[in-house]
Amino acid sequence: MARVSAAVPHVLAEVMNSIRNAPRALVRRHRARRRAAATPGLTPRSRPWTRAFGLVAVVLLGAWLGLLVVGDVRVPVGPMNTTMTLRPSISGGTKINVSPLGALQLDSHVAPVRLDVNVDQLDPDRAQALVDHPERLSGLQDEVAQDVEHGTLDLAVRSCVAVVSGATALGLVVYRRPRRALAAGGLALTLLVASGGTAYATWNPDSVLEPRFSGLLSSAPSLVGDARSIVTEFDVYQKELARLVTNVTKLYDVTSTLPAYQPDPTTIRVLHVSDIHLNPASWKIIASLVEQYKVDVIVDSGDTMDHGTAAENGFLDPIEDLDAPYVWVRGNHDSRVTQKYLEGLKNVHVLDDGRARTVAGLRFAGIGDPQYTPDRSQSDGAEASQELAGARLASALRDQHAAGTPVDVAIAHEPSAAREVDGEVPLVLAGHLHREDMEVMKYGTRLRIEGSTGGSGLRAVEGEYPDPIQASILYFDRDSRRLQAWDEIKLGGLGLTTAEVSRHLPKENQPGATPSPTGTGPSPTGRSRTPAAPSPASP
């Protein structure tokens, strides 16, 4: 009895403890069930992945916020005040913003970060010093290169601090544990270093030779620069970027007396247009391009009209007011009536049946389209007739070479006809497809297909998004009469003031390129020579 009576208090104590702890156990079980119900796929093995994903999300968001807050550097670059910034990006690259004139985009690197350079304003004191001492312009490029280098280093240090600080601060807010916050900062630094290494490994110093410009059309030639001087004067990224900043300085000629853009006198500038299709807005655009780029000659590869009737002839009268010679070949929407009317206009050179003519230092030959399809019908044997017309043009090119007057540029409306002159001329121009393209054909002749300078004509406005207006500026060396570079110009449908300009260089003109060996490439004497390796995908 003594043992039983002694054990009773102990048993009662355990029972009371169980009763007191029961609600807590029930609460813990209830919370566990709710978590399991909310995330039915959650297992102990999946939690580390979930935590890792959460940590990466915190790091990326914190790094981005850090760059937004303190990740920019204000740097004086020559006479310009600029702001350099790193921004997250999928494709990388460099963007130079020149407000309100436009922007240049460079494929400088492939990495998840993009370098933004904002040109804020022209410093009046430094600009005036250049005006008072124009001899300093010769050393401006070296000065700009040093400024860019210092600004890039400062930006790299500040970006590291911004990324690490942002990720650490956000990690501390989310996790409220110093160790997790420091882990977020360390991961952010690792990602930034990896991005920098990727950018360094993919760095393309020649990207500045082929910039893409978007902005005011009148600013494009000054900002992009002249093709000939860009090819021959610079071979490193810093100096090329310096050249761009120098051109930006020249653009502010409106508010200062700095020298304006002057085309390189050693180049012949050809404006290639096609498929205007009776769009009256095209003449204003062509006139603007002639003025801005100081064009020497205009080449129209056909389909200027829509139906080719005599009633449409008055549409062609503005050609006489363009400040450049106009070389024209007939398209499938241009009738013989159209061709005869153009032959009577001053400053117009109509080419047909392989006829050749020297205009602005270049020798052109062309042939009119054998088809006349204003009703958009397709006649039987159309392809064969195009090939026959191309063969006639090729024969005329051989005759010109035999006579000692080789042709520099051939013109045909349809690409199927233009392909027949491969190996007979360095360059052949065409249109018809309403989209731009450039390729080097099997025997070395370069084929340039122009888009629609009329935005596919007035019918384009019937759609929700009008077709773009396209044209090209072709740069030729005045001595060799060979293509040095070309600018692809694209305007929004029916737009008149904004444009996208993309600079392109032939492979043989890019820095470090080796000249083609003797016996390859286009041969005006025929196709019997060893053909150049075809490279249609790499114009």
Side-chain angles (χ1 to χ4, degrees), residues 229-498:
S229 58
I230 282 182
V231 171
T232 58
E233 293 180 12
F234 308 105
D235 57 0
V236 296
Y237 182 80
Q238 286 84 356
K239 289 186 178 180
E240 285 292 349
L241 189 56
R243 172 61 182 243
L244 293 178
V245 175
T246 304
N247 288 340
V248 169
T249 302
K250 295 177 182 180
L251 282 177
Y252 282 89
D253 185 50
V254 177
T255 56
S256 69
T257 58
L258 292 176
Y261 165 78
Q262 294 295 331
D264 192 316
T266 65
T267 57
I268 301 173
R269 291 165 298 283
V270 176
L271 171 60
H272 184 199
V273 301
S274 189
D275 296 88
I276 293 174
H277 284 290
L278 213 66
N279 188 345
S282 299
W283 300 127
K284 294 182 179 180
I285 296 170
I286 291 173
S288 176
L289 291 172
V290 169
E291 178 183 358
Q292 300 302 332
Y293 282 88
K294 305 296 186 291
V295 168
D296 296 297
V297 56
I298 305 167
V299 173
D300 186 342
S301 50
D303 272 5
T304 311
M305 310 297 267
D306 211 7
H307 296 87
T309 63
E312 296 174 333
N313 286 342
F315 170 76
L316 302 169
D317 291 342
I319 294 179
E320 292 188 320
D321 299 326
L322 299 175
D323 294 331
Y326 202 90
V327 178
W328 183 86
V329 297
R330 187 179 67 252
N332 61 296
H333 281 258
D334 303 317
S335 66
R336 296 281 181 173
V337 173
T338 301
Q339 180 166 315
K340 185 176 180 180
Y341 187 83
L342 277 168
E343 289 173 345
L345 296 181
K346 67 178 182 180
N347 214 28
V348 176
H349 305 272
V350 176
L351 302 180
D352 197 5
D353 298 322
R355 186 184 307 120
R357 189 168 297 179
T358 299
V359 183
L362 293 174
R363 191 155 181 82
F364 299 91
I367 192 166
D369 196 299
Q371 297 288 315
Y372 174 52
T373 57
D375 57 355
R376 300 170 185 80
S377 63
Q378 185 68 27
S379 303
D380 293 337
E383 188 69 22
S385 66
Q386 295 294 340
E387 295 176 355
L388 179 60
R392 290 171 54 196
L393 179 56
S395 177
L397 295 174
R398 287 191 290 269
D399 293 341
Q400 288 289 327
H401 183 267
T405 55
V407 171
D408 304 308
V409 182
I411 312 168
H413 178 64
E414 288 213 21
S416 56
R419 293 181 187 280
E420 296 299 311
V421 305
D422 185 16
E424 310 296 348
V425 67
L427 176 67
V428 58
L429 304 179
H432 185 66
L433 301 183
H434 293 200
R435 58 176 175 79
E436 292 182 327
D437 195 14
M438 178 81 87
E439 67 172 278
V440 177
M441 295 184 289
K442 180 178 179 181
Y443 293 95
T445 294
R446 186 179 296 274
L447 170 61
R448 170 66 187 174
I449 302 174
E450 189 53 74
S452 174
T453 310
S456 301
L458 294 179
R459 293 185 305 275
V461 303
E462 297 174 358
E464 183 178 359
Y465 301 102
D467 292 342
I469 294 174
Q470 297 176 305
S472 298
I473 301 292
L474 310 177
Y475 300 89
F476 292 82
D477 182 83
R478 194 172 293 274
D479 296 327
S480 66
R481 302 188 301 278
R482 291 300 181 96
L483 184 67
Q484 297 294 311
W486 70 94
D487 289 346
E488 294 181 357
I489 301 171
K490 180 184 295 185
L491 287 76
L494 301 181
L496 295 177
T497 59
T498 61

Side-chain angles (χ1 to χ4, degrees), residues 127-147:
Q128 188 62 42
L130 288 176
V131 174
D132 297 337
H133 304 280
E135 68 276 3
R136 295 185 181 180
L137 285 173
S138 59
L140 179 61
Q141 290 153 1
D142 293 335
E143 177 185 347
V144 167
Q146 295 177 0
D147 292 340

Side-chain angles (χ1 to χ4, degrees), residues 50-63:
T50 304
R51 293 173 182 173
F53 177 79
L55 180 61
V56 171
V58 168
V59 167
L60 294 179
L61 180 59

Side-chain angles (χ1 to χ4, degrees), residues 46-195:
S46 67
R47 288 177 181 172
W49 293 102
T50 304
R51 293 173 182 173
F53 177 79
L55 180 61
V56 171
V58 168
V59 167
L60 294 179
L61 180 59
W64 179 64
L65 292 175
L67 286 176
L68 286 180
V69 176
V70 295
D72 57 3
V73 175
R74 288 175 174 79
V75 182
V77 178
M80 314 297 298
N81 292 324
T82 70
T83 302
M84 295 184 179
T85 310
L86 284 181
R87 288 285 181 258
S89 171
I90 297 176
S91 58
T94 299
K95 185 176 182 181
I96 304 174
N97 299 297
V98 191
S99 179
L101 304 173
L104 283 169
Q105 293 184 351
L106 313 175
D107 295 328
S108 57
H109 61 277
V110 179
V113 289
R114 184 187 72 199
L115 174 62
D116 285 355
V117 181
N118 296 314
V119 179
D120 300 325
Q121 62 180 359
L122 181 71
D123 185 272
D125 295 333
R126 299 200 300 272
Q128 188 62 42
L130 288 176
V131 174
D132 297 337
H133 304 280
E135 68 276 3
R136 295 185 181 180
L137 285 173
S138 59
L140 179 61
Q141 290 153 1
D142 293 335
E143 177 185 347
V144 167
Q146 295 177 0
D147 292 340
V148 171
E149 182 178 357
H150 294 160
T152 303
L153 291 176
D154 190 6
L155 177 63
V157 174
R158 180 167 296 200
S159 297
C160 287
V161 174
V163 165
V164 174
S165 301
T168 303
L170 187 60
L172 190 60
V173 171
V174 173
Y175 296 112
R176 299 181 181 180
R177 296 178 182 178
R179 291 183 60 183
R180 297 297 296 275
L182 292 176
L187 180 58
L189 181 60
T190 302
L191 292 176
L192 182 62
V193 172
S195 299

